Amino acid sequence: MRVVLVGPPGAGKGTQAQFIASHLSIPKISTGDIFRANVSGGTELGKLAKEYMDRGDLVPDEVTVAMVRDRLSEDDAQEGFLLDGFPRNVPQAEVLKKMLAEFGTGLDVVLNLVVEDDEVVRRLAGRRTCRSCGKVWHVVFDPPAVEGVCDACGGELFQRDDDREETIRRRLEVYQEQTAPLISFYADEGILQGVDATGPVEEITQRAMSALRRFAD
Ligand SMILES: [Zn+2]
């Protein structure tokens, strides 16, 4: 199966990508992994991408697209793949569609992990990080024995700026702005499938798998 996975920060996308890909015996292809592989492999595209990243600039779409094309041309991706982090916008989605059509194929389904903003805030804003050892705790899901103190090393716990409610809500807004058009694009294509991404991790995977089965035949 050829699957794209989308979902907001805090939806557990990375974890689900891993589980779903392994259930389906297809490679999980994330843009992060592709970037790292190209940069560490010293490919021409990797060198180009690194120039942008070193300057603190975004890697242009055409470089990302070329890397995705190379990756999707590899042997292990011929029977299917799960894409995570690509496409990010409608132009990229259109390029992907054209690319797959050239390969004589197309996407089967786009899974959209659905989580309420308040739930994302509850998950992320409860995180506390140890100043000494860096271990991450959670005030509700994984609290230390003594509030504000790391069980592992006795260090002081603090809330990172990234885990503050305002920061999380801002990231969610940016995500919605960028992703809403992508979601409607795939809804129009008739391949969008929402998956309730609340509750235990295994239950979310099961929901995703039954959603995929509906598209399998
Ligand atoms: Zn610690």
Side-chain angles (χ1 to χ4, degrees):
M1 283 192 98
R2 292 169 181 86
V3 185
V4 165
L5 185 65
V6 295
K13 194 156 62 81
T15 309
Q16 290 305 327
Q18 209 106 45
F19 286 160
I20 296 165
S22 100
H23 272 289
L24 293 172
S25 307
I26 53 177
K28 173 185 91 75
I29 300 180
S30 80
T31 34
D33 292 344
I34 298 181
F35 275 38
R36 276 187 291 278
N38 275 277
V39 171
S40 69
T43 67
E44 288 307 310
L45 288 168
K47 285 178 200 160
L48 199 55
K50 196 169 177 302
E51 282 174 27
Y52 287 96
M53 293 189 283
D54 286 347
R55 288 200 302 262
D57 291 336
L58 279 177
V59 178
D61 265 12
E62 60 265 32
V63 176
T64 307
V65 165
M67 286 185 188
V68 170
R69 176 186 287 274
D70 282 355
R71 181 62 188 89
L72 293 183
S73 308
E74 285 175 31
D75 285 348
D76 67 337
Q78 297 318 301
E79 296 306 313
F81 52 77
L82 184 142
L83 270 176
D84 169 15
F86 186 94
R88 274 202 191 288
N89 50 44
V90 173
Q92 286 187 352
E94 276 161 352
V95 168
L96 177 64
K97 189 180 175 182
K98 225 183 266 172
M99 188 192 299
L100 291 175
E102 281 167 33
F103 296 162
T105 174
L107 285 178
D108 293 298
V109 55
V110 174
L111 286 182
N112 181 26
L113 297 179
V114 180
V115 198
E116 298 272 334
D117 283 5
D118 287 344
E119 170 65 15
V120 170
V121 169
R122 205 166 70 92
R123 288 180 191 179
L124 299 183
R127 289 155 43 114
R128 297 292 179 274
T129 307
C130 175
R131 272 192 208 285
S132 309
C133 73
K135 185 170 161 52
V136 179
W137 301 85
H138 193 285
V139 293
V140 179
F141 308 125
D142 187 19
V146 179
E147 195 188 320
V149 180
C150 177
D151 274 3
C153 76
E156 183 202 357
L157 302 186
F158 77 109
Q159 188 181 38
R160 295 184 322 138
D161 283 343
D162 273 0
D163 296 334
R164 289 188 188 283
E165 177 164 350
E166 317 81 89
T167 316
I168 298 164
R169 294 216 182 260
R170 182 66 204 132
R171 273 169 69 203
L172 286 169
E173 267 172 41
V174 171
Y175 172 80
Q176 299 300 353
E177 274 167 27
Q178 290 176 342
T179 316
L182 188 63
I183 300 291
S184 356
F185 176 88
Y186 284 127
D188 292 345
E189 299 266 303
I191 54 171
L192 183 72
Q193 181 68 52
V195 175
D196 174 8
T198 53
V201 170
E202 314 80 64
E203 275 179 29
I204 302 169
T205 309
Q206 285 317 313
R207 275 181 221 133
M209 293 307 297
S210 10
L212 288 170
R213 266 176 231 119
R214 286 200 286 280
F215 279 83
D217 0 87

PDB file of all heavy atoms in Angstrom, residues 61 85-95 178-179 181-182 185-186:
ATOM      1  N   ASP A  61      11.606  23.430  -2.000  1.00  0.00           N
ATOM      2  CA  ASP A  61      10.754  22.318  -2.401  1.00  0.00           C
ATOM      3  C   ASP A  61      11.408  21.400  -3.430  1.00  0.00           C
ATOM      4  O   ASP A  61      11.330  20.189  -3.316  1.00  0.00           O
ATOM      5  CB  ASP A  61       9.435  22.854  -2.996  1.00  0.00           C
ATOM      6  CG  ASP A  61       8.334  22.928  -1.942  1.00  0.00           C
ATOM      7  OD1 ASP A  61       8.652  22.779  -0.738  1.00  0.00           O
ATOM      8  OD2 ASP A  61       7.164  23.134  -2.315  1.00  0.00           O
ATOM      9  N   GLY A  85       5.793  13.315   6.785  1.00  0.00           N
ATOM     10  CA  GLY A  85       6.462  14.613   6.644  1.00  0.00           C
ATOM     11  C   GLY A  85       6.478  15.142   5.214  1.00  0.00           C
ATOM     12  O   GLY A  85       6.979  16.227   4.955  1.00  0.00           O
ATOM     13  N   PHE A  86       5.953  14.382   4.293  1.00  0.00           N
ATOM     14  CA  PHE A  86       5.824  14.786   2.889  1.00  0.00           C
ATOM     15  C   PHE A  86       4.570  14.157   2.323  1.00  0.00           C
ATOM     16  O   PHE A  86       4.338  12.993   2.588  1.00  0.00           O
ATOM     17  CB  PHE A  86       7.054  14.338   2.092  1.00  0.00           C
ATOM     18  CG  PHE A  86       7.060  14.851   0.674  1.00  0.00           C
ATOM     19  CD1 PHE A  86       7.715  16.027   0.342  1.00  0.00           C
ATOM     20  CD2 PHE A  86       6.383  14.150  -0.330  1.00  0.00           C
ATOM     21  CE1 PHE A  86       7.710  16.499  -0.968  1.00  0.00           C
ATOM     22  CE2 PHE A  86       6.368  14.626  -1.630  1.00  0.00           C
ATOM     23  CZ  PHE A  86       7.028  15.801  -1.957  1.00  0.00           C
ATOM     24  N   PRO A  87       3.737  14.874   1.555  1.00  0.00           N
ATOM     25  CA  PRO A  87       3.830  16.296   1.246  1.00  0.00           C
ATOM     26  C   PRO A  87       3.380  17.176   2.407  1.00  0.00           C
ATOM     27  O   PRO A  87       2.600  16.747   3.250  1.00  0.00           O
ATOM     28  CB  PRO A  87       2.871  16.446   0.062  1.00  0.00           C
ATOM     29  CG  PRO A  87       1.867  15.358   0.241  1.00  0.00           C
ATOM     30  CD  PRO A  87       2.586  14.226   0.908  1.00  0.00           C
ATOM     31  N   ARG A  88       3.901  18.408   2.442  1.00  0.00           N
ATOM     32  CA  ARG A  88       3.556  19.369   3.478  1.00  0.00           C
ATOM     33  C   ARG A  88       2.525  20.383   2.998  1.00  0.00           C
ATOM     34  O   ARG A  88       1.930  21.078   3.795  1.00  0.00           O
ATOM     35  CB  ARG A  88       4.797  20.170   3.884  1.00  0.00           C
ATOM     36  CG  ARG A  88       5.613  19.508   4.922  1.00  0.00           C
ATOM     37  CD  ARG A  88       6.486  20.498   5.674  1.00  0.00           C
ATOM     38  NE  ARG A  88       7.449  19.760   6.483  1.00  0.00           N
ATOM     39  CZ  ARG A  88       7.128  19.095   7.570  1.00  0.00           C
ATOM     40  NH1 ARG A  88       5.896  19.091   8.012  1.00  0.00           N
ATOM     41  NH2 ARG A  88       8.030  18.420   8.235  1.00  0.00           N
ATOM     42  N   ASN A  89       2.407  20.527   1.673  1.00  0.00           N
ATOM     43  CA  ASN A  89       1.489  21.527   1.125  1.00  0.00           C
ATOM     44  C   ASN A  89       0.918  21.012  -0.200  1.00  0.00           C
ATOM     45  O   ASN A  89       1.352  19.965  -0.697  1.00  0.00           O
ATOM     46  CB  ASN A  89       2.219  22.867   0.944  1.00  0.00           C
ATOM     47  CG  ASN A  89       3.533  22.695   0.189  1.00  0.00           C
ATOM     48  OD1 ASN A  89       3.596  21.982  -0.814  1.00  0.00           O
ATOM     49  ND2 ASN A  89       4.597  23.337   0.669  1.00  0.00           N
ATOM     50  N   VAL A  90      -0.046  21.756  -0.737  1.00  0.00           N
ATOM     51  CA  VAL A  90      -0.731  21.286  -1.940  1.00  0.00           C
ATOM     52  C   VAL A  90       0.210  21.192  -3.151  1.00  0.00           C
ATOM     53  O   VAL A  90       0.169  20.192  -3.880  1.00  0.00           O
ATOM     54  CB  VAL A  90      -1.974  22.158  -2.245  1.00  0.00           C
ATOM     55  CG1 VAL A  90      -2.590  21.787  -3.581  1.00  0.00           C
ATOM     56  CG2 VAL A  90      -3.004  22.010  -1.122  1.00  0.00           C
ATOM     57  N   PRO A  91       1.096  22.189  -3.391  1.00  0.00           N
ATOM     58  CA  PRO A  91       2.031  22.035  -4.515  1.00  0.00           C
ATOM     59  C   PRO A  91       2.847  20.744  -4.421  1.00  0.00           C
ATOM     60  O   PRO A  91       3.018  20.040  -5.422  1.00  0.00           O
ATOM     61  CB  PRO A  91       2.936  23.271  -4.401  1.00  0.00           C
ATOM     62  CG  PRO A  91       2.103  24.294  -3.701  1.00  0.00           C
ATOM     63  CD  PRO A  91       1.219  23.534  -2.766  1.00  0.00           C
ATOM     64  N   GLN A  92       3.315  20.404  -3.215  1.00  0.00           N
ATOM     65  CA  GLN A  92       4.069  19.151  -3.047  1.00  0.00           C
ATOM     66  C   GLN A  92       3.177  17.938  -3.316  1.00  0.00           C
ATOM     67  O   GLN A  92       3.614  16.937  -3.885  1.00  0.00           O
ATOM     68  CB  GLN A  92       4.653  19.052  -1.633  1.00  0.00           C
ATOM     69  CG  GLN A  92       5.844  19.971  -1.393  1.00  0.00           C
ATOM     70  CD  GLN A  92       6.509  19.735  -0.046  1.00  0.00           C
ATOM     71  OE1 GLN A  92       6.009  18.986   0.803  1.00  0.00           O
ATOM     72  NE2 GLN A  92       7.648  20.374   0.165  1.00  0.00           N
ATOM     73  N   ALA A  93       1.907  18.029  -2.896  1.00  0.00           N
ATOM     74  CA  ALA A  93       0.964  16.922  -3.118  1.00  0.00           C
ATOM     75  C   ALA A  93       0.743  16.712  -4.614  1.00  0.00           C
ATOM     76  O   ALA A  93       0.653  15.580  -5.091  1.00  0.00           O
ATOM     77  CB  ALA A  93      -0.356  17.196  -2.418  1.00  0.00           C
ATOM     78  N   GLU A  94       0.684  17.828  -5.359  1.00  0.00           N
ATOM     79  CA  GLU A  94       0.486  17.721  -6.806  1.00  0.00           C
ATOM     80  C   GLU A  94       1.710  17.105  -7.479  1.00  0.00           C
ATOM     81  O   GLU A  94       1.587  16.273  -8.378  1.00  0.00           O
ATOM     82  CB  GLU A  94       0.152  19.102  -7.402  1.00  0.00           C
ATOM     83  CG  GLU A  94      -1.340  19.390  -7.266  1.00  0.00           C
ATOM     84  CD  GLU A  94      -1.713  20.855  -7.402  1.00  0.00           C
ATOM     85  OE1 GLU A  94      -0.799  21.705  -7.464  1.00  0.00           O
ATOM     86  OE2 GLU A  94      -2.931  21.139  -7.414  1.00  0.00           O
ATOM     87  N   VAL A  95       2.902  17.517  -7.009  1.00  0.00           N
ATOM     88  CA  VAL A  95       4.140  16.944  -7.549  1.00  0.00           C
ATOM     89  C   VAL A  95       4.195  15.441  -7.261  1.00  0.00           C
ATOM     90  O   VAL A  95       4.553  14.640  -8.135  1.00  0.00           O
ATOM     91  CB  VAL A  95       5.378  17.658  -6.944  1.00  0.00           C
ATOM     92  CG1 VAL A  95       6.648  16.901  -7.270  1.00  0.00           C
ATOM     93  CG2 VAL A  95       5.462  19.095  -7.443  1.00  0.00           C
ATOM     94  N   GLN A 178      -1.343  25.503   7.444  1.00  0.00           N
ATOM     95  CA  GLN A 178      -0.616  24.862   6.348  1.00  0.00           C
ATOM     96  C   GLN A 178      -1.302  23.591   5.879  1.00  0.00           C
ATOM     97  O   GLN A 178      -1.241  23.245   4.701  1.00  0.00           O
ATOM     98  CB  GLN A 178       0.809  24.510   6.800  1.00  0.00           C
ATOM     99  CG  GLN A 178       1.674  25.731   7.000  1.00  0.00           C
ATOM    100  CD  GLN A 178       3.049  25.369   7.542  1.00  0.00           C
ATOM    101  OE1 GLN A 178       3.251  24.276   8.075  1.00  0.00           O
ATOM    102  NE2 GLN A 178       3.984  26.298   7.419  1.00  0.00           N
ATOM    103  N   THR A 179      -1.943  22.879   6.821  1.00  0.00           N
ATOM    104  CA  THR A 179      -2.409  21.537   6.498  1.00  0.00           C
ATOM    105  C   THR A 179      -3.849  21.490   6.007  1.00  0.00           C
ATOM    106  O   THR A 179      -4.200  20.592   5.243  1.00  0.00           O
ATOM    107  CB  THR A 179      -2.239  20.601   7.711  1.00  0.00           C
ATOM    108  OG1 THR A 179      -0.962  20.835   8.269  1.00  0.00           O
ATOM    109  CG2 THR A 179      -2.349  19.152   7.312  1.00  0.00           C
ATOM    110  N   PRO A 181      -5.493  23.083   3.662  1.00  0.00           N
ATOM    111  CA  PRO A 181      -5.644  22.928   2.212  1.00  0.00           C
ATOM    112  C   PRO A 181      -5.223  21.540   1.711  1.00  0.00           C
ATOM    113  O   PRO A 181      -5.818  21.000   0.781  1.00  0.00           O
ATOM    114  CB  PRO A 181      -4.710  24.000   1.626  1.00  0.00           C
ATOM    115  CG  PRO A 181      -4.430  24.946   2.741  1.00  0.00           C
ATOM    116  CD  PRO A 181      -4.540  24.165   4.007  1.00  0.00           C
ATOM    117  N   LEU A 182      -4.209  20.967   2.376  1.00  0.00           N
ATOM    118  CA  LEU A 182      -3.729  19.633   1.993  1.00  0.00           C
ATOM    119  C   LEU A 182      -4.815  18.587   2.281  1.00  0.00           C
ATOM    120  O   LEU A 182      -5.068  17.689   1.475  1.00  0.00           O
ATOM    121  CB  LEU A 182      -2.461  19.321   2.801  1.00  0.00           C
ATOM    122  CG  LEU A 182      -1.664  18.081   2.446  1.00  0.00           C
ATOM    123  CD1 LEU A 182      -1.111  18.176   1.034  1.00  0.00           C
ATOM    124  CD2 LEU A 182      -0.522  17.887   3.442  1.00  0.00           C
ATOM    125  N   PHE A 185      -7.471  18.860  -0.272  1.00  0.00           N
ATOM    126  CA  PHE A 185      -6.977  18.300  -1.538  1.00  0.00           C
ATOM    127  C   PHE A 185      -7.207  16.782  -1.563  1.00  0.00           C
ATOM    128  O   PHE A 185      -7.754  16.241  -2.522  1.00  0.00           O
ATOM    129  CB  PHE A 185      -5.486  18.621  -1.696  1.00  0.00           C
ATOM    130  CG  PHE A 185      -4.824  18.021  -2.912  1.00  0.00           C
ATOM    131  CD1 PHE A 185      -4.833  18.695  -4.129  1.00  0.00           C
ATOM    132  CD2 PHE A 185      -4.186  16.788  -2.838  1.00  0.00           C
ATOM    133  CE1 PHE A 185      -4.223  18.144  -5.254  1.00  0.00           C
ATOM    134  CE2 PHE A 185      -3.571  16.223  -3.954  1.00  0.00           C
ATOM    135  CZ  PHE A 185      -3.586  16.906  -5.170  1.00  0.00           C
ATOM    136  N   TYR A 186      -6.818  16.100  -0.460  1.00  0.00           N
ATOM    137  CA  TYR A 186      -6.952  14.643  -0.437  1.00  0.00           C
ATOM    138  C   TYR A 186      -8.395  14.194  -0.225  1.00  0.00           C
ATOM    139  O   TYR A 186      -8.791  13.116  -0.676  1.00  0.00           O
ATOM    140  CB  TYR A 186      -5.998  14.037   0.605  1.00  0.00           C
ATOM    141  CG  TYR A 186      -4.569  14.018   0.112  1.00  0.00           C
ATOM    142  CD1 TYR A 186      -3.528  14.568   0.856  1.00  0.00           C
ATOM    143  CD2 TYR A 186      -4.260  13.449  -1.128  1.00  0.00           C
ATOM    144  CE1 TYR A 186      -2.226  14.555   0.388  1.00  0.00           C
ATOM    145  CE2 TYR A 186      -2.960  13.427  -1.599  1.00  0.00           C
ATOM    146  CZ  TYR A 186      -1.947  13.979  -0.838  1.00  0.00           C
ATOM    147  OH  TYR A 186      -0.660  13.958  -1.319  1.00  0.00           O
TER     148      TYR A 186
END
